[in-house]
Amino acid sequence: QQLRGVSSRTIGVILDTMNLPVMSQRLFALETEASRRGYRLLVGRTHGDDGTLREYVSDFAGRGVEAILSLFDLHPGRDERVRPCFGSYRSVVFHGRPAWPGGYCVRVDTENAIRRCVEHFAARGRKRLALSVGNFGNDELMVLRQKVFARSVAEFGVTGVVWNSESEATMPSPEILERGVAYMVGECRSDAILASNDVWATRFILELQKRARKVPGEVAVIGYDNLDIASVVSPALTTIDQNHQEYAAAALELLLAISAGRRIPLARRVVTIPPQLIIRESA
């Protein structure tokens, strides 16, 4: 088919091996959208390994993949390392930001998400907010969350503290949870916690309950990602939904436009997806 110039109707997707629950949700939405348009996906996984990334790009190109979606964060400095991995291949849509000027990307509006959470807490009378982040020094996304959190607490007239777990662990240890709750609720007397994701949020709820703290009576909790666990924990978790369906539709639209050779104006090469605040009992 490739020799005859027939479309392979195949999209390549490179996932990050970190935060697999979110990646799985996003990948499912992408597969559903691709199938609806008559395309299939080839999927690879890597985490910061440029050699593996280079191998996937080469393999995808050899299989006639029409365009590639890179679903990993480009932390500071990594974009420079990533560029050579794609060689002259430019049919790429990135997550968060493009790896080169004039490139394509789809991003979720993190600024909007954090601001809405702070606004929600403040509207319900919470005065002392805490933001839980992980590995603050090396994670650009966590840096952004902290900056938006600081601006938002000032905007809505409440106070805020940031607790850095200094951990990238998907599943926090009991010791880390104890330390976090002791600082945020014990020392800083926070009456609301904005967790880095739903897994950490549900563990914070369990730790608070173990300490006989009522959720949301004494401490409200908001998570991030709207995983399945958010709706089954007690109390059910208020959380940010990253709107994977709209993300998938936008990504496929860009990918197929690139593969068709259509010229896309610079202003439309970066697509921002609005998140949704899903309100449940925990806040």
Side-chain angles (χ1 to χ4, degrees):
Q1 286 182 325
Q2 292 172 46
L3 290 171
R4 296 202 316 270
V6 178
S7 168
S8 69
R9 303 193 72 80
T10 304
I11 299 295
V13 180
I14 302 174
L15 300 177
D16 198 320
T17 54
M18 294 293 289
N19 204 1
L20 284 179
V22 174
M23 288 293 171
S24 298
Q25 286 187 335
R26 190 164 288 162
L27 180 61
F28 179 79
L30 286 164
E31 195 281 329
T32 301
E33 183 67 21
S35 178
R36 188 180 70 80
R37 295 168 182 254
Y39 278 73
R40 65 191 182 105
L41 305 181
L42 285 181
V43 181
R45 296 194 307 168
T46 184
H47 178 64
D49 185 342
D50 296 335
T52 302
L53 175 59
R54 190 177 288 105
E55 290 173 1
Y56 278 129
V57 172
S58 177
D59 184 44
F60 287 168
R63 293 172 182 269
V65 164
E66 297 188 12
I68 297 174
L69 176 62
S70 291
L71 285 181
F72 50 79
D73 291 312
L74 289 172
H75 298 306
R78 194 179 180 198
D79 49 356
E80 297 178 5
R81 301 200 318 271
V82 160
R83 288 173 204 152
C85 298
F86 288 92
S88 60
Y89 200 102
R90 286 295 181 269
S91 298
V92 186
V93 174
F94 289 93
H95 171 73
R97 68 172 185 226
W100 47 74
Y104 307 87
C105 81
V106 181
R107 61 186 294 272
V108 179
D109 193 345
T110 301
E111 298 94 324
N112 176 271
I114 300 301
R115 184 184 180 277
R116 290 189 66 184
C117 291
V118 173
E119 180 182 25
H120 181 79
F121 279 141
R124 280 150 183 77
R126 305 292 169 168
K127 301 294 185 183
R128 298 178 299 277
L129 279 52
L131 173 69
S132 169
V133 297
N135 197 23
F136 175 72
N138 299 321
D139 192 322
E140 186 178 32
L141 185 59
M142 293 300 170
V143 173
L144 175 61
R145 289 188 186 189
Q146 193 216 27
K147 289 180 179 178
V148 178
F149 180 75
R151 291 199 304 265
S152 299
V153 294
E155 176 185 355
F156 292 106
V158 295
T159 61
V161 297
V162 176
W163 176 71
N164 179 16
S165 68
E166 299 181 346
S167 170
E168 288 185 336
T170 303
M171 185 70 67
S173 68
E175 294 75 21
I176 290 178
L177 289 170
E178 290 174 6
R179 191 165 69 245
V181 171
Y183 175 74
M184 292 185 287
V185 179
E187 183 177 340
C188 298
R189 300 176 58 208
S190 299
D191 57 8
I193 296 174
L194 176 53
S196 57
N197 58 48
D198 287 350
V199 175
W200 281 72
T202 55
R203 268 49 183 190
F204 280 137
I205 289 175
L206 294 175
E207 179 65 23
L208 288 163
Q209 291 172 338
K210 189 173 76 174
R211 293 168 179 250
R213 297 276 191 163
K214 296 179 181 179
V215 180
E218 295 178 76
V219 184
V221 179
I222 293 180
Y224 208 102
D225 294 330
N226 196 24
L227 301 178
D228 289 342
I229 193 175
S231 61
V232 297
V233 69
S234 182
L237 181 64
T238 295
T239 184
I240 289 291
D241 188 302
Q242 296 198 55
N243 206 345
H244 296 302
Q245 289 73 27
E246 188 171 336
Y247 184 106
L252 263 294
E253 194 66 34
L254 274 179
L255 289 161
L256 298 187
I258 294 170
S259 68
R262 296 205 301 268
R263 187 182 181 280
I264 303 175
L266 284 173
R268 294 174 54 195
R269 294 185 182 184
V270 175
V271 181
T272 301
I273 304 302
Q276 295 177 308
L277 178 64
I278 308 299
I279 301 173
R280 300 189 180 101
E281 288 81 3
S282 72

